[in-house]
């Protein structure tokens, strides 16, 4: 399974993070097997707020 890191930041546009994540998730769904493991990461990890106010939980980039 390929590991995909979505690097995000406070104030990022939601679609810029979730859109590509959905593409990888859809590829796995259509293939019928887990092809990708998508992780949202930031420099310090923890919660960030997107430009729309949606909060995302992230992992620390340093630990991946």
């Amino acid at each position: 399974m390929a590991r995909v890191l979505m690097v995000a930041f406070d104030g990022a546009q939601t679609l810029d993070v979730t859109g590509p994540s959905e593409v990888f998730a859809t590829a796995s769904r259509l293939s019928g097997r887990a092809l990708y493991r998508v992780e949202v990461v930031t420099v310090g990890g923890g919660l960030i707020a997107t430009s729309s106010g949606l909060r995302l939980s992230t992992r620390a980039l340093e630990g991946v």
Side-chain angles (χ1 to χ4, degrees):
M1 176 184 329
R3 185 175 179 206
V4 178
L5 300 179
M6 302 298 304
V7 181
F9 55 90
D10 208 36
Q13 289 192 0
T14 306
L15 186 59
D16 290 341
V17 179
T18 60
S21 297
E22 285 295 332
V23 170
F24 289 106
T26 300
S28 290
R29 252 191 328 276
L30 293 176
S31 75
R33 58 193 172 99
L35 299 174
Y36 304 99
R37 183 178 81 205
V38 179
E39 299 176 42
V40 180
V41 297
T42 57
V43 172
L47 289 175
I48 63 164
T50 64
S51 60
S52 67
L54 178 69
R55 296 177 62 82
L56 301 175
S57 177
T58 68
R59 295 189 58 200
L61 183 60
E62 296 83 17
V64 293

